[in-house]
Amino acid sequence: MQGRTRLTDVAEQAGVSTATVSRVLNGKPGVAGETRRAVLAALDLLGYERPEKLRARSAGLVGLIVPELSNPVFPAFAQAIESMLATIGFTPLLCTQSPGGTTEDDYVEMLLDHDVDGIVFVSGLHADTHADPSRYLRLRERGVPFVLLNGHNPAIEAPSFSADDRGSMDLAVRHLASQGHRTIGLALGPDRFVPAHRKREGFVEAMRTYLDVADPPVVTTLFTVEGGLSAGSMLLDAGCTAVICGSDLMALGAVRAARSRGLKVPHDLSVVGYDDSALIPYTDPPLTTIRQPVGAMCQAAVTTLAAEIGGSAVPRSELLFVPELIVRGSTGAAPGSANGLMI
């Protein structure tokens, strides 16, 4: 790192002089905290290892258990949580599940063997109403701090952080109704999962509120492209001019279902997704979707977990976060309407 070229690279990236970079690397005083952080960030960005004396000491280990990573929203949660844990000095241990692979319970035992200070569960068994919540009660009895993301269970005494799934459906239905759609369908994953169940409730309520429809079509499949393709086909058969999906992947499947019939999106079918994953703005057409406030949820979860690890009392209840409707090119006026008004 003492080579002239490397110092110059870091200085240019951080927007400081090479002398300042040298002072930071050698632990010299007289450098503002903000400037020091800029130099360290430049080191990380350029792929250089920090000198040993500048590396943050780990405040402890925190386990992070997430579902399979094929749905891009889960890597987004994992990346945000890992980054925030590292920022406050914790070393994250990422545990990813896959069908037929290591179970959540197996991961928990492994993490306890490693004496983790806390655990973050993202869309885990706590979100499955068919799963036994006693596993979390046992974890609480062992005194291990943990937090839950997306899937509140009142039987589990732990801080819980969720997107407002019911409110998200209100946003989507109101948007589509304003464009003249009256026959709107919902495509969801298994109803036993709390987020899916809440979306169904929110959808039915919003359809009653905005369109006076008491029994709107709902299809339950899987939170995958294939699930969305199947659900989209069934909802098209039911005469829907718009489909709201429980995930962005399902929405892409619904678009595929429309195109397989020679229909155009959004001219013949409007489609709304859920999550707003990183690549969704670049689909064809760009997908209208409900954005989960991933950053805010993760920040709250990590801050709460760190506080409990530090011995502070924290609320063991659910905190809901407001999602946002992101309107793009996959939704438009209903067939037979003008400017979104029924004719």
Side-chain angles (χ1 to χ4, degrees):
M1 177 56 70
Q2 298 305 317
R4 180 71 182 175
T5 302
R6 287 186 171 184
L7 285 175
T8 303
D9 290 343
V10 175
E12 182 177 347
Q13 179 65 41
V16 300
S17 67
T18 55
T20 298
V21 173
S22 179
R23 294 187 70 82
V24 172
L25 296 181
N26 290 292
K28 300 290 186 180
V31 180
E34 185 176 347
T35 302
R36 186 179 300 275
R37 286 190 291 274
V39 171
L40 294 178
L43 284 173
D44 297 338
L45 187 63
L46 294 173
Y48 295 132
E49 282 193 30
R50 296 186 184 188
E52 185 68 32
K53 58 188 173 183
L54 296 181
R55 296 178 193 172
R57 294 187 178 275
S58 175
L61 302 176
V62 170
L64 169 56
I65 302 180
V66 299
E68 41 73 30
L69 298 180
S70 58
N71 186 331
V73 75
F74 294 130
F77 271 105
Q79 184 175 16
I81 293 168
E82 286 189 319
S83 175
M84 292 170 187
L85 285 170
T87 298
I88 59 176
F90 286 96
T91 300
L93 297 177
L94 178 62
C95 304
T96 59
Q97 300 177 71
S98 60
T102 306
T103 67
E104 179 179 309
D105 291 336
D106 292 334
Y107 274 130
V108 168
E109 289 303 317
M110 180 201 74
L111 292 170
L112 294 177
D113 289 341
H114 282 77
D115 294 323
V116 293
D117 294 281
I119 303 176
V120 181
F121 294 92
V122 179
S123 299
L125 291 174
H126 64 277
D128 187 344
T129 58
H130 292 183
D132 183 0
S134 64
R135 55 176 45 86
Y136 299 101
L137 307 183
R138 290 192 296 270
L139 196 59
R140 176 63 67 201
E141 290 170 356
R142 297 179 68 164
V144 179
F146 63 92
V147 295
L148 310 173
L149 278 157
N150 273 347
H152 178 66
N153 186 329
I156 303 173
E157 187 186 357
S160 179
F161 306 89
S162 305
D164 184 358
D165 293 297
R166 293 187 184 92
S168 71
M169 293 299 100
D170 187 276
L171 291 173
V173 170
R174 182 170 53 183
H175 167 63
L176 293 170
S178 73
Q179 295 182 309
H181 295 277
R182 293 193 59 81
T183 309
I184 303 170
L186 177 65
L188 282 176
D191 200 49
R192 72 175 193 268
F193 294 109
V194 173
H197 181 71
R198 288 177 169 179
K199 286 183 178 71
R200 177 192 286 266
E201 289 183 337
F203 174 70
V204 171
E205 182 179 344
M207 289 293 287
R208 184 183 298 113
T209 299
Y210 296 111
L211 297 172
D212 197 26
V213 175
D215 188 25
V218 178
V219 175
T220 298
T221 57
L222 298 174
F223 285 114
T224 61
V225 172
E226 294 75 17
L229 175 61
S230 174
S233 295
M234 286 186 271
L235 292 171
L236 281 169
D237 289 340
C240 292
T241 63
V243 174
I244 302 169
C245 298
S247 73
D248 289 335
L249 293 182
M250 293 188 81
L252 296 180
V255 171
R256 185 179 296 180
R259 287 179 172 166
S260 70
R261 301 186 181 203
L263 302 177
K264 296 181 179 179
V265 176
H267 183 268
D268 302 302
L269 180 72
S270 287
V271 178
V272 179
Y274 188 92
D275 287 332
D276 197 29
S277 318
L279 298 179
I280 289 305
Y282 308 104
T283 58
D284 180 24
L287 190 66
T288 294
T289 188
I290 302 292
R291 175 180 293 165
Q292 278 204 76
V294 173
M297 292 167 64
C298 293
Q299 183 67 64
V302 169
T303 300
T304 300
L305 183 64
E308 187 167 5
I309 291 173
S312 299
V314 298
R316 292 178 177 176
S317 56
E318 183 180 30
L319 186 62
L320 287 178
F321 289 78
V322 179
E324 180 183 1
L325 175 69
I326 307 299
V327 179
R328 299 193 181 102
S330 67
T331 53
S337 68
N339 298 322
L341 299 176
M342 293 300 294
I343 58 174

